[in-house]
Amino acid sequence: MKVGVIAYQGSFEEHALQLKRAFDALSIQGEIVAVKRPSELSQVDGIIIPGGESTTIGIVAQKLGVLDVLKEKISQGLPVMGTCAGSIMLAKEVTDAKVGKKSQPLLGVMDATVVRNYYGRQRESFEAVLDFSVIGGGKAKVVFIRAPAITKVWGRTKELLSFGESKVMVQEDNMLATTFHPELSGTTAVHEYFLSMIKK
Ligand code: GLN
């Protein structure tokens, strides 16, 4: 199984490490591909869009022609996991908590509204304990870094986990989005769950 991670900017390395742990936990012979160009997308069975800065990731992905190819592949069923900035890339509706709607290149494939920088200044970054039993894991500490919030889902998008008033992990068929950073957590539950989506 080959899993791609978009590797322009942000937590590529951490996702690669967490993926390795998840491969080991599930005894999968896996390979990780750093994806920067459209040709690298043709080899992967699933793709991760990491956290970072969604404006930067979107602009570079568009420039290199990855955005359109990725959008097409996701609509054809390629499993995708977007974490933090990656969840922003996936959502059909994106606003910023401070500046409201701003245009930025996005995939816009998931029936969800995501509000960027939702938690404001005091809580720009914080840790929380989430219970991952819904995807077969246990309780684990995760980190939110200038995190967005998923405030609304519709259509086939289902909430898997919430924190406070907002949703922090949602799924629409082959698409999984988290507003926290599962790659910076002690649990591999989210990555293992994503690998199970690829195996189906
Ligand atoms: N605030 C970033 C954005 O809007 C996301 C932060 C992150 O990915 N850690 O793109």
Side-chain angles (χ1 to χ4, degrees):
M1 178 194 292
K2 280 192 185 175
V3 181
V5 184
I6 297 287
Y8 303 130
Q9 186 254 356
S11 50
F12 162 78
E13 296 285 344
E14 292 82 357
H15 268 294
L17 282 172
Q18 198 73 304
L19 267 174
K20 274 193 192 126
R21 292 188 198 107
F23 284 148
D24 288 347
L26 298 173
S27 304
I28 292 174
Q29 287 289 352
E31 201 182 307
I32 297 155
V33 183
V35 173
K36 290 189 173 157
R37 310 207 168 255
S39 60
E40 285 141 2
L41 274 176
S42 62
Q43 316 160 17
V44 302
D45 305 306
I47 183 89
I48 293 177
I49 310 170
E53 202 52 51
S54 58
T55 38
T56 310
I57 295 171
I59 288 167
V60 181
Q62 190 173 49
K63 241 187 204 149
L64 296 179
V66 161
L67 206 63
D68 286 346
V69 177
L70 188 53
K71 194 170 170 174
E72 176 73 19
K73 285 194 164 282
I74 293 170
S75 70
Q76 288 166 357
L78 179 74
V80 58
M81 170 161 82
T83 65
C84 203
S87 73
I88 297 169
M89 293 300 302
L90 290 176
K92 280 190 181 164
E93 265 188 42
V94 174
T95 61
D96 185 286
K98 256 207 199 117
V99 298
K101 267 215 161 92
K102 214 179 87 185
S103 92
Q104 63 183 102
L106 298 165
L107 291 161
V109 284
M110 183 182 245
D111 288 345
T113 301
V114 174
V115 179
R116 293 181 64 191
N117 303 309
Y118 178 84
Y119 299 96
R121 278 201 160 264
Q122 282 94 14
R123 297 182 66 197
E124 258 178 8
S125 301
F126 59 96
E127 291 180 332
V129 174
L130 299 178
D131 182 351
F132 288 97
S133 50
V134 67
I135 54 165
K139 284 191 178 153
K141 205 188 263 177
V142 297
V143 53
F144 292 80
I145 303 171
R146 288 175 295 109
I150 300 163
T151 53
K152 203 175 110 190
V153 296
W154 62 95
R156 297 181 59 80
T157 308
K158 303 274 174 296
E159 172 184 315
L160 293 175
L161 271 179
S162 64
F163 176 72
E165 309 223 304
S166 57
K167 303 162 215 330
V168 297
M169 181 157 82
V170 302
Q171 179 175 1
E172 178 181 343
D173 303 320
N174 57 318
M175 303 179 259
L176 182 67
T178 75
T179 60
F180 56 90
H181 286 260
E183 76 284 12
L184 300 176
S185 148
T187 181
T188 52
V190 178
H191 286 73
E192 287 183 41
Y193 182 69
F194 180 56
L195 294 181
S196 78
M197 284 168 59
I198 298 177
K199 275 204 281 187
K200 263 182 206 157

